[in-house]
PDB file of all heavy atoms in Angstrom:
ATOM      1  N   PHE A 699     -62.664  67.656 112.661  1.00 96.00           N
ATOM      2  CA  PHE A 699     -62.594  68.345 111.382  1.00 96.00           C
ATOM      3  C   PHE A 699     -62.567  67.406 110.189  1.00 96.00           C
ATOM      4  O   PHE A 699     -62.509  67.853 109.057  1.00 96.00           O
ATOM      5  CB  PHE A 699     -61.372  69.272 111.349  1.00 96.00           C
ATOM      6  CG  PHE A 699     -61.470  70.404 112.329  1.00 96.00           C
ATOM      7  CD1 PHE A 699     -60.720  70.401 113.500  1.00 96.00           C
ATOM      8  CD2 PHE A 699     -62.331  71.467 112.084  1.00 96.00           C
ATOM      9  CE1 PHE A 699     -60.817  71.443 114.410  1.00 96.00           C
ATOM     10  CE2 PHE A 699     -62.420  72.520 112.983  1.00 96.00           C
ATOM     11  CZ  PHE A 699     -61.670  72.506 114.151  1.00 96.00           C
ATOM     12  N   SER A 700     -62.546  66.076 110.444  1.00 94.00           N
ATOM     13  CA  SER A 700     -62.542  65.159 109.304  1.00 94.00           C
ATOM     14  C   SER A 700     -63.465  63.989 109.590  1.00 94.00           C
ATOM     15  O   SER A 700     -63.729  63.651 110.760  1.00 94.00           O
ATOM     16  CB  SER A 700     -61.125  64.643 109.032  1.00 94.00           C
ATOM     17  OG  SER A 700     -60.791  63.678 110.001  1.00 94.00           O
ATOM     18  N   SER A 701     -63.917  63.376 108.500  1.00 91.00           N
ATOM     19  CA  SER A 701     -64.811  62.237 108.646  1.00 91.00           C
ATOM     20  C   SER A 701     -64.089  61.068 109.297  1.00 91.00           C
ATOM     21  O   SER A 701     -64.685  60.310 110.062  1.00 91.00           O
ATOM     22  CB  SER A 701     -65.358  61.841 107.278  1.00 91.00           C
ATOM     23  OG  SER A 701     -66.298  62.802 106.882  1.00 91.00           O
ATOM     24  N   ALA A 702     -62.800  60.941 109.001  1.00 91.00           N
ATOM     25  CA  ALA A 702     -62.036  59.847 109.612  1.00 91.00           C
ATOM     26  C   ALA A 702     -62.017  60.022 111.131  1.00 91.00           C
ATOM     27  O   ALA A 702     -62.245  59.060 111.887  1.00 91.00           O
ATOM     28  CB  ALA A 702     -60.608  59.840 109.059  1.00 91.00           C
ATOM     29  N   ASP A 703     -61.775  61.243 111.584  1.00 94.00           N
ATOM     30  CA  ASP A 703     -61.771  61.487 113.030  1.00 94.00           C
ATOM     31  C   ASP A 703     -63.151  61.224 113.635  1.00 94.00           C
ATOM     32  O   ASP A 703     -63.283  60.754 114.760  1.00 94.00           O
ATOM     33  CB  ASP A 703     -61.361  62.938 113.327  1.00 94.00           C
ATOM     34  CG  ASP A 703     -59.854  63.143 113.138  1.00 94.00           C
ATOM     35  OD1 ASP A 703     -59.153  62.127 112.986  1.00 94.00           O
ATOM     36  OD2 ASP A 703     -59.408  64.307 113.146  1.00 94.00           O
ATOM     37  N   ALA A 704     -64.189  61.577 112.862  1.00 94.00           N
ATOM     38  CA  ALA A 704     -65.546  61.355 113.368  1.00 94.00           C
ATOM     39  C   ALA A 704     -65.771  59.867 113.593  1.00 94.00           C
ATOM     40  O   ALA A 704     -66.294  59.448 114.623  1.00 94.00           O
ATOM     41  CB  ALA A 704     -66.570  61.917 112.381  1.00 94.00           C
ATOM     42  N   GLU A 705     -65.337  59.059 112.631  1.00 89.00           N
ATOM     43  CA  GLU A 705     -65.545  57.616 112.756  1.00 89.00           C
ATOM     44  C   GLU A 705     -64.716  57.022 113.880  1.00 89.00           C
ATOM     45  O   GLU A 705     -65.200  56.170 114.624  1.00 89.00           O
ATOM     46  CB  GLU A 705     -65.211  56.930 111.429  1.00 89.00           C
ATOM     47  CG  GLU A 705     -66.215  57.285 110.350  1.00 89.00           C
ATOM     48  CD  GLU A 705     -66.057  56.408 109.107  1.00 89.00           C
ATOM     49  OE1 GLU A 705     -66.648  55.324 109.071  1.00 89.00           O
ATOM     50  OE2 GLU A 705     -65.321  56.838 108.201  1.00 89.00           O
ATOM     51  N   ASP A 706     -63.476  57.500 114.019  1.00 90.00           N
ATOM     52  CA  ASP A 706     -62.622  57.011 115.120  1.00 90.00           C
ATOM     53  C   ASP A 706     -63.271  57.308 116.466  1.00 90.00           C
ATOM     54  O   ASP A 706     -63.357  56.446 117.334  1.00 90.00           O
ATOM     55  CB  ASP A 706     -61.247  57.697 115.078  1.00 90.00           C
ATOM     56  CG  ASP A 706     -60.412  57.187 113.904  1.00 90.00           C
ATOM     57  OD1 ASP A 706     -60.858  56.199 113.274  1.00 90.00           O
ATOM     58  OD2 ASP A 706     -59.356  57.780 113.632  1.00 90.00           O
ATOM     59  N   ALA A 707     -63.701  58.534 116.611  1.00 90.00           N
ATOM     60  CA  ALA A 707     -64.286  58.945 117.895  1.00 90.00           C
ATOM     61  C   ALA A 707     -65.537  58.124 118.177  1.00 90.00           C
ATOM     62  O   ALA A 707     -65.752  57.654 119.299  1.00 90.00           O
ATOM     63  CB  ALA A 707     -64.611  60.438 117.868  1.00 90.00           C
ATOM     64  N   ARG A 708     -66.353  57.958 117.139  1.00 84.00           N
ATOM     65  CA  ARG A 708     -67.579  57.195 117.300  1.00 84.00           C
ATOM     66  C   ARG A 708     -67.267  55.762 117.758  1.00 84.00           C
ATOM     67  O   ARG A 708     -67.937  55.215 118.643  1.00 84.00           O
ATOM     68  CB  ARG A 708     -68.342  57.201 115.967  1.00 84.00           C
ATOM     69  CG  ARG A 708     -69.573  56.339 115.927  1.00 84.00           C
ATOM     70  CD  ARG A 708     -70.544  56.786 117.004  1.00 84.00           C
ATOM     71  NE  ARG A 708     -71.750  55.989 116.945  1.00 84.00           N
ATOM     72  CZ  ARG A 708     -72.886  56.415 116.439  1.00 84.00           C
ATOM     73  NH1 ARG A 708     -72.964  57.641 115.959  1.00 84.00           N
ATOM     74  NH2 ARG A 708     -73.930  55.648 116.432  1.00 84.00           N
ATOM     75  N   ALA A 709     -66.204  55.190 117.148  1.00 78.00           N
ATOM     76  CA  ALA A 709     -65.811  53.821 117.502  1.00 78.00           C
ATOM     77  C   ALA A 709     -65.435  53.735 118.977  1.00 78.00           C
ATOM     78  O   ALA A 709     -65.586  52.700 119.618  1.00 78.00           O
ATOM     79  CB  ALA A 709     -64.657  53.369 116.618  1.00 78.00           C
ATOM     80  N   GLN A 710     -64.942  54.851 119.515  1.00 82.00           N
ATOM     81  CA  GLN A 710     -64.577  54.864 120.942  1.00 82.00           C
ATOM     82  C   GLN A 710     -65.739  55.325 121.814  1.00 82.00           C
ATOM     83  O   GLN A 710     -65.569  55.617 122.995  1.00 82.00           O
ATOM     84  CB  GLN A 710     -63.405  55.823 121.174  1.00 82.00           C
ATOM     85  CG  GLN A 710     -62.137  55.395 120.474  1.00 82.00           C
ATOM     86  CD  GLN A 710     -61.097  56.504 120.465  1.00 82.00           C
ATOM     87  OE1 GLN A 710     -61.155  57.421 121.275  1.00 82.00           O
ATOM     88  NE2 GLN A 710     -60.181  56.434 119.530  1.00 82.00           N
TER      89      GLN A 710
END
Side-chain angles (χ1 to χ4, degrees):
F699 294 105
S700 75
S701 287
D703 285 349
E705 292 191 87
D706 288 351
R708 174 59 178 256
Q710 296 167 21

